[in-house]
Amino acid sequence: MKITYTAEEESFRQSVRAFVEAELDPGTRKKVLNGLNMSKQDYVGWHGKLATRGWSCPHWPQEHGGAGWSPMQHFIFDEETSNAGAPGMMPFGPDMVAPVIWTFGNEEQKKQHLPGILSGEVWWCQGYSEPNSGSDLASLRTKAERQGDHYIVNGGKTWTTLAQWADWMFCLTRTDSSGKKQEGITFLLIDMKTPGISVHPIITMEGGHEVNQVIFDNVKVPVANRIGEENKGWTYAKFLLGYERSGMAGIPQAKRALARLRAIAADQEDADGTLAENPRFRRKMSDVEIQIVTLEATMLKLLAQQVQGKTPGPEASFIKIRGTEIDQLLTELTMEAVGPYVAPFAPEALDTGWNEEPIGPDYAAPVAPGYFNTRKVTIYGGSNEIQKNIIAKHVLGL
Amino acid sequence: MLSFDLTDEQQLLKDSVERFIERSYPFDKRRASSKSDEGFSREHWKQFADLGWLAVGLPEEQGGFGGAREVAVLMEAFGRGLVTEPWLASVLLAGGTIARAGSAEQQEELLGALIAGESVMAFAHGEPKSRYDIARVETTAKKAGDGWKLDGHKAVVLNGDAADRLVVSARTAGKARDKEGISLFVVDPKAGGVEVRGYPTNDGGRAAEVKLSGAAGTLLGAEGKAYAVIEETIDRAAAAVCAESLGLMDVLNAMTLDYSKTREQFGQKIGAFQALQHRMADMFVALEEARSLADVYMADVDSDDLAERQRAVSALKVQCDKSARKVGQEAIQLHGGIAMTDDYQASHYFKRLSIIARQFGDVDWHLDRYAALTQ
């Protein structure tokens, strides 16, 4: 696709480029471009810089702090920030709970929570999955019992991403078990500092600590922190999932991963030249590139609708399926490109400040952990099997 | 004549190693020894010696027994147990190379200690830029008095940090990628000019970068003629990890099936969903295909006909890697989040399969070789 840009769009691109150039922390940028471990400050720092410019949550409605951009401006912004090595936005606040708050929350809740999300000062986590409620999310059992002005919450959530950094959690709780499982769920906002909450790390197969188990032991949550009505939480939860899934296309990240793959392939020597010159490997890289631009075309259409105020529907499931499949394909091809040097396990090499000689090429250390970790993407956010059920049921009418 | 059945001796070996894995090699013990300094248990290594497993695939004159099928029996069981002891590195790679290249004297000295469990050895052949190209040897060896001095960098040397002897390939003539002019040497890693940097690997094992600067080496076999020996060593290793992958896949399929019969979502066992049933059927087929190929073609790895051997090895590696990709990825997906965790065993089996796919030639490398042999 040859996109032609208007003079305004070109000038917008220049202003984004100049901003990133001036404001993006070089340490953060290095981590992003080399797949190294990120700190909370890397995310929060960049978010804060964007917030001062009014660009932290550009896709929000303008009345809440959105930028009021055209779809093309969003596209340009994503491309420029990603190319420059800016970290992605953590989705939990800006993409997930914020739309729920401005759509279903009361004025008090909007005033209390939206500014902190916009500025990046408040970190959110998602309390959805439970040990026995994964794909079957609505079967969740974390109990919230009403006692006067409070709910008393007991139970536990799992796979809670970066709960160790979170100030608040949006949480699905069971307030009624008498009827259909979807009908007794209540959507609560929980301050993570409340007594009775404990966060337990879950170490994933590559050795990282990203997800957690969060246990609630008689946690008092004010009724004022309930979104909408009691027992109507499933409606809000599903609304949120649409936003979550359409945010999972990860086009800029995929393009960056492809660029890294190409650079690695160009460095790996093959029988007749480099791996990047090997016709078969070139075809593999081109194949994934075509998949990326195809998904990008779909996203551009969806973005146009979203800017016009349309809530993402079941088509978001399709974005989630393809975006995550492409992520996995990229990490797998990168394994293939690196070859025997995927074997060394060097977690210390993923921390900045580690200055020893790398084992093998300096790009090798994050590759196998990246491949292993990325197996999660077709599981989380509603597994891809669940997404196919949604398409079958709600799009195809089966 | 085709025989898929194991001989009585092979069956005895299989029973003994499977019993050991089942009774004496629990996962928590494996995990602990995997995290130890050497990455394996010397106690287990001694047991391997006592049980005769360190002789498998080595020449009868030195007390060894069996060929590719015996190796496969052992490796498949090692796959089931995710064994980290350096059998592949020490017995198959280093020992096998010594058996093919060494003089009678060298064999007796080195293999005797190896089979007795007194010595651990490693095979230092791959280099930072060689990928899977067997002839790409840039490490050099030059005559110095009665011996040789070696210079170069050997990459991802399996169990190189536990070895008391290294079998090192180096160029004595020609240029990188020439098949002629490659020689083999025995190097004492404790001697001067050898730097061994050990590290854990993503599959729970260990490896090392070995840097040689004027390191003393003893020539093993004929000067400049080691290519064919090394090629056979790599072929045998490729076939061995194929057999290992059968054991790994079998465990993953069993775990997935078992989980699907116990995990409930939407009010039923997830194994009741037809979409998942079909995928488990595909996983079953993937393993059975790999197993069939291995049962029939593993014996060809012992063939004296080079083309026959290489076709068999390449077919095996292509099929086993493809089956392993399917089984490994699907096992994680069908379990869901639980299999993403370090606590859950499936993730460790998946990781080992993922590393095997990058050892001793990947799918494309073996497809190329197979295609060249079929022209």
Side-chain angles (χ1 to χ4, degrees), chain A residues 131-132 134-136 203 205 268-270 280 284 332 336-337 341-345 357 371 378 385, chain B residues 129 131 136 155 177 197 200-202 209 211 263 265-266 279 325 329 333 337 340 342 351 364 368:
Chain A
N132 291 309
S135 285
D136 183 10
I203 303 303
M205 68 166 109
Q268 286 286 323
E269 292 184 32
D270 194 46
R280 184 180 39 213
K284 289 185 190 181
E332 194 172 5
E336 188 176 332
Y341 266 125
V342 298
F345 173 61
E357 187 194 343
Y371 171 67
T378 46
E385 290 75 20
Chain B
K129 295 197 168 185
R131 287 179 75 82
R136 175 127 192 198
R177 289 190 175 146
R197 181 186 183 192
T201 51
N202 277 302
E209 299 298 292
K211 290 187 180 166
R263 170 76 171 174
Q265 290 286 271
F266 304 103
R279 288 163 70 174
R325 175 179 189 263
Q329 294 183 352
Q333 183 70 24
M340 284 299 302
D342 179 65
K351 289 198 286 186
D364 282 357
D368 279 347

Side-chain angles (χ1 to χ4, degrees), chain A residues 279-288 333 336, chain B residues 364:
Chain A
R280 184 180 39 213
F281 203 76
R282 285 173 71 95
R283 277 198 290 277
K284 289 185 190 181
M285 292 191 292
S286 297
D287 187 323
V288 71
L333 281 176
E336 188 176 332
Chain B
D364 282 357

Side-chain angles (χ1 to χ4, degrees), chain B residues 175-197:
Chain B
K175 54 184 194 309
R177 289 190 175 146
D178 287 351
K179 292 183 181 176
E180 283 295 312
I182 301 170
S183 307
L184 287 163
F185 298 88
V186 178
V187 170
D188 176 357
K190 304 265 183 320
V194 186
E195 185 199 319
V196 177
R197 181 186 183 192

Side-chain angles (χ1 to χ4, degrees), chain A residues 3-149:
Chain A
I3 303 178
T4 43
Y5 299 101
T6 63
E8 288 77 21
E9 285 162 354
E10 267 310 328
S11 121
F12 175 73
R13 181 185 294 280
Q14 292 311 320
S15 68
V16 175
R17 194 172 290 179
F19 177 80
V20 180
E21 189 65 36
E23 300 294 341
L24 179 60
D25 177 74
T28 302
R29 173 194 162 98
K30 185 183 164 206
K31 291 180 195 175
V32 171
L33 292 179
N34 295 291
L36 305 180
N37 291 336
M38 305 278 287
S39 69
K40 182 178 181 181
Q41 181 52 33
D42 288 313
Y43 292 107
V44 172
W46 174 237
H47 189 118
K49 294 277 175 56
L50 288 171
T52 57
R53 183 68 194 255
W55 287 353
S56 62
C57 303
H59 53 296
W60 284 16
Q62 268 181 286
E63 55 172 315
H64 300 303
W69 288 342
S70 67
M72 193 53 78
Q73 282 178 298
H74 284 281
F75 177 76
I76 291 167
F77 178 80
D78 286 348
E79 193 168 72
E80 284 299 322
T81 48
S82 172
N83 287 349
M89 281 296 113
M90 272 293 138
F92 312 106
D95 292 344
M96 293 165 71
V97 75
V100 171
I101 291 173
W102 77 59
T103 308
F104 303 105
N106 57 37
E107 284 311 310
E108 205 49 49
Q109 290 166 336
K110 289 182 208 174
K111 252 187 260 159
Q112 184 186 356
H113 294 296
L114 293 179
I117 297 172
L118 195 63
S119 71
E121 285 160 294
V122 180
W123 191 288
W124 285 79
C125 66
Q126 179 181 28
Y128 270 37
S129 292
E130 296 179 7
N132 291 309
S133 305
S135 285
D136 183 10
L137 180 60
S139 68
L140 60 95
R141 278 182 279 192
T142 292
K143 213 165 165 187
E145 283 174 299
R146 184 79 182 256
Q147 270 184 19
D149 291 343

Side-chain angles (χ1 to χ4, degrees), chain A residues 157-187:
Chain A
K157 295 290 175 181
T158 194
W159 314 129
T160 315
T161 301
L162 298 176
Q164 70 268 36
W165 294 347
D167 304 298
W168 281 78
M169 172 191 272
F170 54 94
C171 186
L172 298 182
T173 58
R174 170 75 48 203
T175 36
D176 184 358
S177 314
S178 61
K180 270 180 66 182
K181 61 188 175 182
Q182 289 86 354
E183 285 166 6
I185 292 170
T186 296
F187 194 113

Side-chain angles (χ1 to χ4, degrees), chain A residues 130-137 139 159 181 202-207 267-273 275 278 280-281 284 328-329 332 335-347 354 356-361 365 368-369 371-376 378-379 383-386 388-389, chain B residues 127-133 136 138 153-156 158 177 195 197-203 207 209 211 259 263-267 273 275-276 279 325 328-330 332-343 346-348 350-352 354-355 358-360 362-365 367-368:
Chain A
E130 296 179 7
N132 291 309
S133 305
S135 285
D136 183 10
L137 180 60
S139 68
W159 314 129
K181 61 188 175 182
I202 298 173
I203 303 303
T204 38
M205 68 166 109
E206 82 289 354
D267 185 64
Q268 286 286 323
E269 292 184 32
D270 194 46
D272 311 299
L275 190 61
N278 174 325
R280 184 180 39 213
F281 203 76
K284 289 185 190 181
Q328 291 185 335
L329 183 57
E332 194 172 5
M335 288 283 277
E336 188 176 332
V338 171
Y341 266 125
V342 298
F345 173 61
W354 188 78
E356 284 176 49
E357 187 194 343
I359 302 164
Y371 171 67
F372 298 146
N373 181 273
T374 304
R375 301 317 304 173
K376 75 187 174 191
T378 46
I379 297 170
S383 71
N384 286 20
E385 290 75 20
I386 292 297
K388 288 177 189 176
N389 284 348
Chain B
E127 297 187 2
K129 295 197 168 185
S130 61
R131 287 179 75 82
Y132 310 114
D133 186 349
R136 175 127 192 198
E138 292 180 48
H153 179 172
K154 293 294 177 179
V156 199
L158 297 179
R177 289 190 175 146
E195 185 199 319
R197 181 186 183 192
Y199 48 79
T201 51
N202 277 302
D203 49 10
E209 299 298 292
K211 290 187 180 166
Y259 190 73
R263 170 76 171 174
E264 287 186 26
Q265 290 286 271
F266 304 103
F273 293 109
L276 300 195
R279 288 163 70 174
R325 175 179 189 263
Q329 294 183 352
E330 288 287 71
I332 304 295
Q333 183 70 24
L334 267 53
H335 273 89
I338 187 75
M340 284 299 302
T341 66
D342 179 65
D343 271 349
S347 67
H348 298 266
F350 169 72
K351 289 198 286 186
R352 176 64 191 133
S354 306
I355 298 304
R358 309 293 154 217
Q359 287 181 322
F360 313 116
D362 63 8
V363 166
D364 282 357
W365 190 89
L367 267 178
D368 279 347

